[in-house]
Amino acid sequence: MAQGANRTTAQVVGVVVLAAAVTAFLAVAAVRHGFFDLKVYYGALNWWVHDGGEIYDYLNPGTQYGFTYPPFAALVMLPMAYLPWNAAIVVSVLASVATTTVLIWWLVDPIARRAGWTRWFALAVALCLAAAFEPMRETVNFGQVNTLLLFLVAVDLLRLLPTRWAGVGIGLATAIKLTPGIFIVYLLVTGRWRAALTASGTAAGVTLLAGALFPNASREFWTEALWNTGRVGELAFVSNQSLRGVVARLDPQHPSTLLWLLLVLATLALWAWRSRAAVAAGDEATGLALTGAVMCLVSPVTWVHHLVWLLPALILLVDNAMAAPAGRRRRVLLAAATIGYALLISRTVWFWEKDFTGVDGFLGSNAYVWISLALLAFLPIRRWLTPPGSAVDASGVPQLDKPDRPAPTGERHLIGRLLTVR
């Protein structure tokens, strides 16, 4: 009893010390954006609801930035127009924290069980580390919706497959912001036709609903605002950590569309091959991580805060390390996770914000792109050892086989069940 109490005390002290260290780090390293994106949403919605303007005509004062999401996103955010500004900030922050906590719990809890870690302690440590993660802190500081979209997709892939509801979360995320639509392609590539149909139907249904409620806004979005790339920002800006950003920084005045398309096609081919292998092995979490990484790579614009989609891949690197026998493989995987995480909290790319020329500029200004590519190419794929109904050992912990080995057909789609351990 005394030993258990001492362990708990040590863990509480450890979490407090880590939280204090992260707070100090954020005080120095985190850039304050004043909830800029949330301010755009808030201003556009108030302009639309209370001032009688069209939502896509609104520009944040003194900038070229306006509301860029589909009309269904405006419908989801509509209650914001009836909140005081400070209340909108509170709701935004709480939503980001809540969705991140649930997602991290789903991914970290199995690691804690297999490794014999105290589960609340593992979650607390992971949340502290997530708070320092640059894409996460940028998401919160901008008031962005990234964690909500990631959560909706994760609900589908980690919880709802293979139920009849699989695809609803992906459909809603796609209707809120078009880029998660690549997860519909993921479902098609990996042969989940029913889930893909559900996702497509959901996205189309709520988009039509928004069109019926807001016909003028819908017409303006689909015919004009969607194609006005100037509202998004400069492609060569160092925050754009996509393949398009890499190509634009090679020649900001005349970026090669052909080169970008060739890189996108090659990247999609690699993603399709690895995603099919992950699903064949029943490793749905890795499918989520791979698709999140490729979405960041092939999207024309991937600001740093969009890279919250890399969070599952980094957690899975640790998961793979802890599942591997003690030795060289474990050390390599832990080193990869540590290096990737360290770079993604460091603001490394911003050293080349003003000048990204030369070899150092090419390598440094695109550092987060290289991380995304490495995760897409090398994140291990594993299969579960046991069939449905017996996927745990005597301690109730899911058992994993060696990485990169295919699973029998009957073992597919188990990740959602295996992540929920009774």
Side-chain angles (χ1 to χ4, degrees), residues 98-411:
T99 51
T100 301
T101 300
V102 174
L103 175 66
I104 289 178
W105 174 254
W106 287 345
L107 294 172
V108 168
D109 188 53
I111 310 175
R113 287 172 175 263
R114 284 194 298 273
W117 300 339
T118 305
R119 295 162 68 195
W120 73 263
F121 178 68
L123 176 63
V125 169
L127 288 174
C128 287
L129 296 177
F133 188 54
E134 183 178 354
M136 185 64 67
R137 67 189 194 233
E138 293 278 286
T139 287
V140 174
N141 283 333
F142 272 116
Q144 263 283 344
V145 298
N146 304 310
T147 60
L148 171 62
L149 302 179
L150 176 54
F151 173 76
L152 287 172
V153 171
V155 167
D156 265 354
L157 299 184
L158 302 184
R159 282 296 183 270
L160 295 183
L161 283 176
T163 72
R164 73 172 73 179
W165 299 104
V168 172
I170 290 172
L172 291 174
T174 301
I176 292 172
K177 187 175 182 179
L178 300 179
T179 48
I182 195 170
F183 283 92
I184 299 178
V185 182
Y186 167 72
L187 293 173
L188 292 171
V189 166
T190 54
R192 271 74 64 83
W193 308 106
R194 179 172 179 170
L197 182 61
T198 300
S200 301
T202 300
V206 297
T207 298
L208 289 173
L209 172 63
L213 294 174
F214 317 124
N216 291 335
S218 295
R219 181 171 52 253
E220 184 170 356
F221 176 79
W222 295 109
T223 61
E224 296 182 30
L226 176 61
W227 314 104
N228 185 0
T229 56
R231 294 163 61 94
V232 177
E234 175 59 45
L235 291 176
F237 184 42
V238 75
S239 183
N240 185 13
Q241 291 294 301
S242 69
L243 293 172
R244 186 62 161 157
V246 173
V247 173
R249 283 186 285 276
L250 289 174
D251 185 358
Q253 299 303 317
H254 304 96
S256 172
T257 300
L258 177 61
L259 175 59
W260 172 59
L261 290 175
L262 290 174
L263 290 173
V264 165
L265 289 175
T267 303
L268 287 174
L270 173 63
W271 161 73
W273 172 59
R274 299 217 71 216
S275 294
R276 287 174 61 86
V279 171
D283 194 353
E284 204 70 63
T286 296
L288 164 66
L290 294 174
T291 308
V294 83
M295 183 180 73
C296 294
L297 288 165
V298 303
S299 174
V301 175
T302 297
W303 303 134
V304 168
H305 56 78
H306 295 148
L307 296 175
V308 294
W309 290 92
L310 299 184
L311 191 60
L314 292 175
I315 294 174
L316 289 173
L317 273 181
V318 177
D319 193 353
N320 278 277
M322 300 311 300
R328 182 175 181 275
R329 181 178 181 82
R330 176 177 290 186
R331 291 194 299 272
V332 168
L333 289 172
L334 285 176
T338 302
I339 293 170
Y341 174 78
L343 286 172
L344 283 165
I345 70 171
S346 66
R347 289 184 55 83
T348 295
V349 298
W350 297 98
F351 290 115
W352 289 272
E353 179 181 1
K354 302 299 183 183
D355 182 8
F356 38 73
T357 58
V359 175
D360 66 311
F362 176 72
L363 295 176
S365 69
N366 301 308
Y368 300 166
V369 178
W370 311 142
I371 294 173
S372 298
L373 283 169
L375 290 170
L376 176 63
F378 301 114
L379 183 65
I381 295 170
R382 293 171 299 173
R383 75 177 178 93
W384 301 93
L385 276 173
T386 47
S390 57
V392 295
D393 65 5
S395 65
V397 181
Q399 297 303 295
L400 299 166
D401 201 356
K402 295 179 181 179
D404 300 316
R405 291 179 56 185
T409 303
E411 294 183 16

Side-chain angles (χ1 to χ4, degrees), residues 2-18 118 120-121 125:
Q3 184 178 2
N6 290 338
R7 182 188 185 192
T8 300
T9 300
Q11 289 175 336
V12 170
V13 171
V15 169
V16 170
V17 170
L18 178 60
T118 305
W120 73 263
F121 178 68
V125 169

Side-chain angles (χ1 to χ4, degrees), residues 32-123:
R32 304 294 187 269
H33 298 292
F35 299 96
F36 180 88
D37 288 357
L38 183 66
K39 193 175 296 182
V40 173
Y41 312 151
Y42 188 81
L45 288 165
N46 276 279
W47 163 267
W48 187 36
V49 173
H50 301 299
D51 298 332
E54 285 294 342
I55 190 169
Y56 296 106
D57 292 339
Y58 175 85
L59 293 178
N60 198 42
T63 76
Q64 79 273 29
Y65 297 107
F67 194 85
T68 59
Y69 294 166
F72 179 66
L75 176 61
V76 172
M77 297 181 186
L78 194 58
M80 190 188 305
Y82 300 94
L83 292 177
W85 169 239
N86 288 334
I89 293 174
V90 170
V91 171
S92 173
V93 172
L94 289 179
S96 293
V97 171
T99 51
T100 301
T101 300
V102 174
L103 175 66
I104 289 178
W105 174 254
W106 287 345
L107 294 172
V108 168
D109 188 53
I111 310 175
R113 287 172 175 263
R114 284 194 298 273
W117 300 339
T118 305
R119 295 162 68 195
W120 73 263
F121 178 68
L123 176 63

